Structures are given as structure tokens and as C-alpha cells.
Amino acid sequence: MDLRSLSYDELTEDVLKMGEKPFRAGQIYEWLHKKCIISLDEMTNVSLKLRNRLAEEYEFGKFEIARMQESKIDGTRKYLFALNDGNMVESVFMRYHHGNSVCISSQVGCRMGCKFCASTIDGLVRNLTPGEMLGQIYAIQADTKERVSNVVVMGSGEPMDNYDNIVKFVGMLTDEKGLNISQRNLTISTCGLADKIRQFAENKFQLTLALSLHATTDEKRKQLMPIANRYSIKEIMDACAYYFEVTGRRITFEYSLVGGVNDSEEEAQALSRLAKPLHAHVNLIPVNPIKERDYVPSDDRSIRAFQNKLEKNGINVTIRREMGRDIDGACGQLRRKVMGQASASTVVSGTEN
Ligand code: SAH
């Protein structure tokens, strides 16, 4: 069991079983989730004996920084963290005028198969635990020595495909015993697992759910996103309407503009029709080209025309400010690059032998 993944109650129960006083659990939880330590040795008011016991009985993610790239353009930092089992995940740190934001991964790899996305190329390796999702944020705070106020789950992985862990993560991240991030400052992005969206609504979290839509017909969506074979746009829209009804929170549609593929004015019109009844906000993202695929971003003129059409239809729309383009900002690019180098060097040494 991963120490950071224990809820306050679970930790208390375990600490009592170890024959310790209940206040110890409060101290430990505070070190873990308020002071966000990345080494157990930092728990100075906890006895060495108890610290050793914790280290023996639990897994504790150290989040070693395998690589860090900082953008010269906007100061965005992309981290590649090594997990205890040797797997690697990417997280991104961005500074905005409203505060610092961290984009985290929810899985190692992904099995959703979206055609333009680098995270999914080698499939899913494993789910991240709640503690490994929190750990990415804690490690970035420790490294930057700056406080994080916003979190987006838009890195590698499909959060609704790691359902129980994402629900526990939200609870711990937004709890006053932990970092106490406001649910309103948390966004979770999904490619649209309709049944999970409905189930997720029941938690009544006040966070923002973002739906990666990227197309307005099932036919076009299937070309870009295999998950469209499983759920129709109609089923997803019904689930989003239910989510809005139950939580009172408006959905955001993410729409990556791919040049000549999904960026016509007719598609902007169709997108307006989908967004209108849900009062959805539309976030346009010029697709970030990855070297494994030949998708290109829409040109500026098409992007503006697309945006204008939506605005004329009374849709609330933003274009995602591109950050960190010079540092492999798109999902999964850095991990692939570093892993590619690792396997390339193995091959090289193999030939030498
Ligand atoms: N699995 C979740 C979250 C991860 S991806 C989801 O699908 O929403 C976060 C967002 O980035 C999604 O909207 C995804 O479609 C988009 N994305 C992935 N690769 C991209 C790329 N190369 N260019 C633009 N957007 C991309």
C-alpha cells in the first residue's frame, strides 16, 4: 500500500494498530498532505522508530525528477518523474496571473487510442494510485517552492478509466486536512466514457468536467477517437446534461482543431448546436503536432473563423493559450522521447557487445 494513498481515517486506523496514539496519525497526515514532504526523514516530530516502521510497511513515492525542461518562452516547466517501479509520468507546471497551475497524469500510458495523442501510442501500462497523482503536485511544489492553486487532470491517461482512484484523489486534494485546493480550481478531462460521467456526477463535486469532443459527428469522431465506437455523441451529451443537472456545473468542451479535418464553419455551427443546450464553454486547442502522426494544426484564419462562428451563436469560447511548445508540451511527448533514447542506447550498446 502506498502511504500517500491512505485517507485520514485509514491512516488513523493503521497507526492505532501499530500501538501508537491517534494524534500521531494527525501529525503524519499533515506532513504528507499539508507540508507535502517528499522524504519521510522530514517528519521531525515523529520518532525515528515510527518513521522506519512506516518506511518498512508502505510504499512511498520519491518522485525523482528524471528530466525537467523549462520553456524559454513562458517559464512553463515540464517534469518527467520516475515512479518507484521505474515507470515514468509527465506533469506540467504553468504560471498564470490567477495563480500556479499543475497538469497531472492519471495513468502510465493510456488505452483510449486517440489518433493525435502521444500518450496512447504504446497503450496502457498501469493506473496511478491517488498518492501518485497527489505526489506529482507535491513534488512540483517542493521543486519550485511555489504554491499550486489550480490542478488540471489533462496529462497522460484517461481519469474515468481509473475511476476509484480519481474519486479518492479529488477527495484528498480538496480536503482541508490536505492541500485544500478548491474544487472550483480543479478540472478533470475525459474522452467521454458516458456511464462513468453519470456515476461521477453522483459525487456532486464542484469541479469542472471537461469533455474532449474534437468532432461533431460520430463518423468523424471515430476517425480521431476509437472510444467513439463505444459511446455515441448522443449518449455522451445525455450524460453531460445529467452531470450538469446533478452538479449544477457547466461542462467544458475541448475541441482540438486539426487542419482540414474538423475545422470547417459547418462544424463550428454543429458544435454550437451541441454546446447551446448544455450552456457548455468551448475551449479550442490548435492541435499540437506529434512526430508519430501527420496531423497539422488549423491555420490562424480558420481558427478565427471557427471562433467567430461560435461567438455569433452565443457560445462562450476561448482559445487555449499555447504554453511550452518548445518543451514537448503535448501529452506524452517527453516520456516517449526519453524512453526512446533509453531503448536506443540499449540497442547501441547491444551492437557494441
Ligand atoms: N484522457 C483525457 C485527458 C488527457 S488528454 C481526455 O481525453 O480528455 C487532455 C486533452 O489534450 C484532451 O482533450 C486531448 O484530446 C488533448 N490532446 C492530446 N494530444 C493532443 C495534441 N497532440 N494536440 C492537441 N490536443 C491534444
Side-chain angles (χ1 to χ4, degrees), residues 32-305:
L32 295 175
H33 299 286
K34 251 199 191 330
K35 298 180 179 155
C36 305
I37 53 170
I38 48 171
S39 158
L40 295 181
D41 298 334
E42 293 174 61
M43 297 193 199
T44 43
N45 62 359
V46 176
S47 70
L48 186 61
K49 188 171 144 262
L50 182 53
R51 269 186 271 160
N52 286 341
R53 179 104 192 253
L54 293 172
E56 268 164 36
E57 302 214 355
Y58 300 93
E59 186 82 30
F60 182 71
K62 290 189 285 292
F63 289 86
E64 271 162 22
I65 300 172
R67 190 70 81 87
M68 197 281 281
Q69 297 186 356
E70 182 160 19
S71 167
K72 291 191 182 66
I73 306 168
D74 51 40
T76 295
R77 285 177 165 209
K78 183 135 197 177
Y79 289 88
L80 187 69
F81 290 114
L83 303 175
N84 286 13
D85 66 357
N87 276 304
M88 289 196 234
V89 288
E90 290 180 24
S91 328
V92 185
F93 173 78
M94 292 159 283
R95 287 193 188 90
Y96 291 100
H97 49 268
H98 60 262
N100 295 325
S101 183
V102 165
C103 172
I104 63 156
S105 294
S106 56
Q107 295 178 316
V108 181
C110 182
R111 57 178 180 155
M112 296 297 125
C114 299
K115 294 290 195 301
F116 44 82
C117 179
S119 302
T120 198
I121 293 173
D122 295 317
L124 176 68
V125 179
R126 69 169 175 87
N127 284 327
L128 295 183
T129 63
E132 286 172 327
M133 293 185 236
L134 294 166
Q136 296 170 61
I137 303 163
Y138 300 171
I140 287 179
Q141 283 202 155
D143 189 55
T144 59
K145 303 191 174 56
E146 289 184 41
R147 204 181 148 76
V148 169
S149 55
N150 292 265
V151 173
V152 297
V153 185
M154 283 194 189
S156 295
E158 167 50 45
M160 295 298 147
D161 188 36
N162 186 11
Y163 185 85
D164 292 342
N165 286 341
I166 200 79
V167 170
K168 192 169 189 189
F169 160 78
V170 173
M172 292 172 80
L173 179 70
T174 61
D175 188 86
E176 53 188 22
K177 291 196 178 72
L179 261 193
N180 199 10
I181 300 241
S182 159
Q183 289 187 353
R184 287 168 187 269
N185 291 353
L186 173 62
T187 298
I188 295 186
S189 179
T190 175
C191 64
L193 309 183
D195 46 0
K196 288 291 192 300
I197 292 175
R198 285 175 179 273
Q199 195 183 340
F200 195 63
E202 305 300 344
N203 295 294
K204 299 198 170 59
F205 292 136
Q206 290 300 297
L207 51 77
T208 301
L209 187 71
L211 170 73
S212 299
L213 191 54
H214 307 323
T216 57
T217 63
D218 287 324
E219 200 188 350
K220 179 73 61 75
R221 200 162 185 265
K222 283 176 194 171
Q223 288 169 21
L224 296 170
M225 306 173 73
I227 192 67
N229 294 302
R230 188 69 198 283
Y231 302 98
S232 67
I233 292 180
K234 170 86 175 66
E235 284 172 292
I236 301 172
M237 291 302 121
D238 287 350
C240 287
Y242 180 76
Y243 188 89
F244 180 41
E245 190 188 308
V246 171
T247 65
R249 299 287 295 166
R250 293 182 184 193
I251 306 271
T252 295
F253 287 170
E254 285 167 278
Y255 196 96
S256 293
L257 289 162
V258 189
V261 174
N262 63 358
D263 60 349
S264 70
E265 287 199 44
E266 295 74 63
E267 280 160 309
Q269 186 65 33
L271 180 56
S272 307
R273 278 197 294 271
L274 293 173
K276 197 94 198 183
L278 288 171
H279 307 282
H281 174 106
V282 175
N283 195 9
L284 299 174
I285 318 155
V287 83
N288 206 335
I290 58 172
K291 74 171 189 334
E292 292 84 354
R293 303 276 185 268
D294 49 13
Y295 291 112
V296 293
S298 305
D299 56 50
D300 289 347
R301 223 181 44 117
S302 312
I303 297 175
R304 257 195 307 277

